[in-house]
C-alpha cells in the first residue's frame, strides 16, 4: 500500500507545473479578466497545497515525520483513486 501511495505521489509531483501562472495587464481589467485572475489565484493556492501535502506524505511514509490524520486521509484517498478532501475544498 505504501509503495503504491508513494508512486502515485511521485507521479502527481512530476505532473505539477513548476512555473507559477501570471496574468499581467497595465490597464484596468475587464470583468472577464478579473475572473481569470481570481481563478489563477485559486489554482496557485491549490498547487502550493498539493506540493506541500505530497512532500509531507512521502516524508511520513519514509518515517521522517509523523503521519497526521490529514496525511492519512490524503494517502487513503490516493490509494482509493479519489481526490483528497483537502484539495477539493481549495479547488
Amino acid at each position: 500500500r505504501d509503495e503504491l501511495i508513494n508512486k502515485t505521489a511521485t507521479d502527481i509531483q512530476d505532473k505539477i507545473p513548476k512555473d507559477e501562472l501570471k496574468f499581467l495587464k497595465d490597464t484596468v481589467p475587464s470583468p472577464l479578466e478579473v475572473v481569470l485572475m481570481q481563478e489563477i489565484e485559486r489554482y496557485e493556492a491549490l498547487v502550493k497545497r498539493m506540493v506541500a501535502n505530497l512532500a509531507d506524505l512521502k516524508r511520513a511514509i519514509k518515517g521522517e515525520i509523523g503521519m497526521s490524520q490529514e496525511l492519512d486521509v490524503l494517502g487513503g484517498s490516493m490509494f482509493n483513486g479519489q481526490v483528497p478532501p483537502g484539495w477539493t475544498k481549495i479547488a
Side-chain angles (χ1 to χ4, degrees):
R1 175 187 161 137
D2 287 347
E3 289 177 20
L4 177 67
I5 293 171
N6 197 30
K7 182 183 179 314
T8 304
T10 301
D11 289 345
I12 293 172
Q13 283 178 320
D14 292 342
K15 293 177 184 175
I16 294 175
K18 305 294 182 216
D19 298 330
E20 187 174 309
L21 286 178
K22 294 181 182 175
F23 180 79
L24 304 174
K25 185 163 180 165
D26 294 332
T27 61
V28 176
S30 69
L32 185 59
E33 291 168 339
V34 170
V35 171
L36 175 62
M37 288 187 288
Q38 291 171 342
E39 289 299 316
I40 289 173
E41 288 174 8
R42 291 178 66 196
Y43 173 78
E44 287 300 324
L46 176 61
V47 167
K48 287 178 186 175
R49 177 76 171 268
M50 290 173 66
V51 167
N53 284 164
L54 292 171
D56 287 346
L57 179 63
K58 289 172 74 173
R59 289 179 62 207
I61 290 172
K62 289 180 186 176
E64 295 176 1
I65 62 173
M67 180 71 78
S68 67
Q69 183 176 355
E70 180 183 1
L71 293 176
D72 190 41
V73 169
L74 174 66
S77 296
M78 292 176 66
F79 183 75
N80 295 326
Q82 299 171 338
V83 178
W87 295 356
T88 56
K89 289 178 186 175
I90 296 175

